[in-house]
Amino acid sequence: MSVTKYFAEEKIWRSPTEHTWMFSEKANLGRIILEVLNCHSPKVIQISDDSGVRMTNREIASDAEKIAVGLRQRGAKQGDVVGFVARNGSYLTPALIACFYLDLPINALDVTQNEDEIYSIFRITKPKFIFCDDDMVYVAHKILERLQSSAVIVVIGNDVSGDVNIEELMQEGDSDELKKSLFFVNLLTCLLSGVVRVITTAPFSPEIYVNIVEKYKVTHTLISPIYLNSALESTRITPKSFLSLRTILCIGSLTTDDLVRKLGIYALHGKLFIAYGMSELGSIANYLYEPPKKVCVGILAPGNESVVIAENGDRLGPGETGELCFRTPHQMIEYIENPEATKNSFTNDGFFRTGDLGFYSHDGFLHIVGRCKDLIKYFMSHVSCSEIEKVIKTHPGVRDATVVGISDATCYQLPAAVVARRKNFAISANDIYEIVAKNLPDSHKLRGGIYFVDDIQVTSTGKHKKREIEKYATKMFEMLKSNNDYKSA
């Protein structure tokens, strides 16, 4: 296996392979996808677990073409932003492909976000079209009123209060108009061939996930480690549940040694791929896990460069932990309307600062150990939230945990933990406090409290909603203080 190369004079790591384009970097993504779909037209490519609807490549391509024509006839032009607040239903993929074809930037949001959260983002991106489900139409109208926007609301459903239903949009033009403008694209027979997607509009639950894997004999799955861990802990899982899995791709948060151990009990025939990436950078690193090696995120993806920097900005060498910074062929240009955030996110020589703490081993593998942007400052000490979380999760009664900082006038911040218990385990706040106090320095003690919840809030990609969790922990802390139940330690 080729490994990441280290150049000692520059203190820089580079991918063992150069980046190569499968096609011209100026090629239109929508045209490429449509061409490939039409090359494999009879093949079923998508199954809805909700409705049972099976769609072929040709059907998805046809719907995408009709949606593109409908958008164009309603005035869509290159560069117009399209917002999505919709679940993963049958029409979502064709709508996205249509946007790719028309060069319309996409701003996709989670349906679990509230009105203020969606407004704060759309205020910046200023979408000209918004695709949304029935239950989000009212919210979309309220947001457009606040924005004083005339954006078109496209309803993916039956609600008649939107500007247009997606099926009506598809009927507004002849897709032959689109076909005549297609340019020849090299046939990429490997793209989208041989893989059937199973979709659902239901929010993630361990039971639904395990059921889908069993029902469709899923062979490939892309999943957040947090979600995978909850599936492995579910009472729904059996020794036969994951026998069909051949490839498990973990991305979105840290994959732990404990997760790999539990996965090995059920996915007897599956290969575990661990990937590391960011919206701002694209793919950063990946790794086909080879037991019994220690879990890491592998080697740099083609064309990537990396430095590890200390707090004073000095570059670090192999085995030294610091902030991970990267340059990639696909990195972002800027944060929209936020030049200060853009400037602060890059080093002077153009490396993007991820906020992740990590190091490169002497054999060229990348390891992530936590977050420097999530550090808590307790007096003069910097406390790693992830370091505390790892210790808490070693307790057999803990299913999940996250650590946040509670603002304090004297100490700056107090570490606090929000914990989800495993079923049928009796575990107290004192148990959590003691395991942290025993294994970590005094500065890491959970002086901000330990709060138990049924489930920790996560995003659609399985990451902890740190801001919401911090608000909850702060509220609970203040409540205890007002009731004189808080004791400093």
Side-chain angles (χ1 to χ4, degrees):
M1 176 190 293
S2 298
V3 296
T4 302
K5 299 177 180 177
Y6 179 61
F7 296 81
E9 289 187 6
E10 302 171 90
K11 285 194 174 180
I12 187 171
W13 282 266
R14 292 191 173 96
S15 166
T17 55
E18 295 294 323
H19 177 77
T20 57
W21 296 95
M22 292 178 64
F23 43 83
S24 168
E25 62 268 34
K26 297 180 180 179
N28 177 289
L29 178 58
R31 289 173 178 157
I32 292 169
I33 294 175
L34 287 174
E35 184 72 23
V36 175
L37 289 174
N38 285 317
C39 286
H40 305 278
S41 57
K43 183 175 179 59
V44 172
I45 195 68
Q46 179 172 282
I47 302 172
S48 169
D49 186 58
D50 303 328
S51 62
V53 171
R54 293 169 175 259
M55 296 185 72
T56 64
N57 284 328
R58 178 60 245 162
E59 289 169 331
I60 286 183
S62 177
D63 285 353
E65 292 164 0
K66 292 173 184 176
I67 293 170
V69 172
L71 288 172
R72 179 183 286 170
Q73 291 189 345
R74 282 188 170 257
K77 59 183 183 297
Q78 186 180 44
D80 285 346
V81 174
V82 179
F84 282 84
V85 192
R87 298 169 182 83
N88 198 6
S90 298
Y91 283 125
L92 186 62
T93 296
L96 291 171
I97 296 172
C99 293
F100 293 151
Y101 178 81
L102 296 176
D103 288 327
L104 306 177
I106 292 166
N107 183 198
L109 303 182
D110 188 353
V111 293
T112 63
Q113 291 178 287
N114 61 41
E115 180 187 330
D116 289 336
E117 291 173 325
I118 298 172
Y119 167 78
S120 66
I121 296 174
F122 281 172
R123 180 179 58 82
I124 297 171
T125 59
K126 301 178 177 63
K128 297 296 179 64
F129 294 84
I130 298 175
F131 285 77
C132 63
D133 293 329
D134 282 338
D135 58 348
M136 295 302 295
V137 175
Y138 176 71
V139 174
H141 275 298
K142 290 184 66 178
I143 290 171
L144 293 184
E145 288 177 7
R146 293 171 66 180
L147 292 172
Q148 297 183 332
S149 168
S150 59
V152 177
I153 296 175
V154 183
V155 183
I156 306 178
N158 300 312
D159 193 295
V160 296
S161 61
D163 295 301
V164 63
N165 179 280
I166 193 167
E167 293 184 355
E168 296 171 346
L169 184 72
M170 292 163 61
Q171 295 171 3
E172 289 184 355
D174 182 355
S175 63
D176 284 342
E177 175 191 335
L178 181 67
K179 294 175 186 175
K180 291 174 184 176
S181 67
L182 280 172
F183 294 100
F184 175 78
V185 181
N186 287 333
L187 303 182
L188 308 174
T189 56
C190 62
L191 184 63
L192 300 179
S193 63
V195 178
V196 181
R197 292 195 324 131
V198 181
I199 63 172
T200 178
T201 59
F204 178 87
S205 78
E207 293 73 25
I208 290 176
Y209 176 74
V210 173
N211 181 64
I212 287 176
V213 172
E214 289 181 346
K215 181 178 178 181
Y216 298 97
K217 294 184 172 25
V218 172
T219 55
H220 299 73
T221 182
L222 187 154
I223 186 170
S224 160
I226 292 176
Y227 284 163
L228 180 57
N229 186 68
S230 66
L232 293 169
E233 293 286 337
S234 170
T235 55
R236 173 67 180 77
I237 195 169
T238 71
K240 295 183 178 180
S241 295
F242 287 177
L243 289 181
S244 65
L245 289 177
R246 296 295 179 269
T247 303
I248 304 100
L249 175 59
C250 279
I251 189 168
S253 60
L254 285 178
T255 300
T256 64
D257 290 292
D258 183 59
L259 176 63
V260 172
R261 178 190 59 78
K262 287 187 285 190
L263 181 63
I265 298 172
Y266 293 99
L268 300 179
H269 310 297
K271 294 182 178 180
L272 173 62
F273 283 86
I274 301 171
Y276 173 45
M278 299 180 69
S279 300
E280 292 90 341
L281 295 171
S283 176
I284 296 174
N286 53 74
Y287 177 51
L288 171 59
Y289 175 68
E290 299 176 351
K293 288 185 177 180
K294 189 172 180 61
V295 174
C296 67
V297 295
I299 62 174
L300 290 177
N304 291 354
E305 296 180 312
S306 174
V307 293
V308 181
I309 59 174
E311 286 190 56
N312 62 4
D314 290 345
R315 292 185 180 183
L316 302 174
E320 297 180 304
T321 298
E323 183 177 6
L324 299 173
C325 306
F326 301 92
R327 285 193 301 221
T328 76
H330 311 291
Q331 68 189 38
M332 73 167 192
I333 299 172
E334 64 178 356
Y335 290 114
I336 299 175
E337 294 187 8
N338 198 338
E340 183 177 354
T342 302
K343 180 181 178 181
N344 293 337
S345 295
F346 288 91
T347 63
N348 292 333
D349 44 2
F351 285 88
F352 182 83
R353 307 184 66 148
T354 65
D356 288 329
L357 285 173
F359 66 92
Y360 287 87
S361 58
H362 290 275
D363 55 2
F365 286 85
L366 175 57
H367 298 254
I368 298 175
V369 299
R371 291 279 295 169
C372 57
K373 287 185 179 178
D374 284 343
L375 290 177
I376 293 171
K377 188 175 182 181
Y378 175 72
F379 280 112
M380 299 305 294
S381 299
H382 287 92
V383 177
S384 169
C385 294
S386 58
E387 188 177 11
I388 301 176
E389 290 166 1
K390 286 180 180 179
V391 170
I392 294 174
K393 289 176 183 178
T394 62
H395 192 290
V398 173
R399 176 164 52 87
D400 196 10
T402 191
V403 173
V404 296
I406 305 292
S407 296
D408 183 83
T410 303
C411 307
Y412 295 105
Q413 287 179 298
L414 301 173
V418 177
V419 179
R421 297 182 178 97
R422 294 188 195 275
K423 289 183 179 180
N424 303 320
F425 265 89
I427 179 175
S428 68
N430 189 64
D431 293 332
I432 301 298
Y433 184 90
E434 290 298 328
I435 196 172
V436 172
K438 180 180 177 180
N439 291 279
L440 294 173
D442 181 77
S443 58
H444 291 56
K445 286 182 179 179
L446 296 171
R447 293 176 169 88
I450 298 102
Y451 310 103
F452 291 102
V453 295
D454 292 333
D455 292 290
I456 294 177
Q457 291 179 292
V458 295
T459 66
S460 59
T461 57
K463 295 180 180 179
H464 289 155
K465 289 185 173 181
K466 284 280 189 175
R467 289 184 180 179
E468 296 302 318
I469 296 167
E470 184 178 311
K471 289 179 183 177
Y472 168 78
T474 300
K475 179 181 177 181
M476 296 300 295
F477 179 77
E478 294 298 334
M479 188 183 301
L480 289 175
K481 283 185 68 175
S482 64
N483 294 333
N484 296 318
D485 290 333
Y486 168 73
K487 295 180 181 179
S488 179

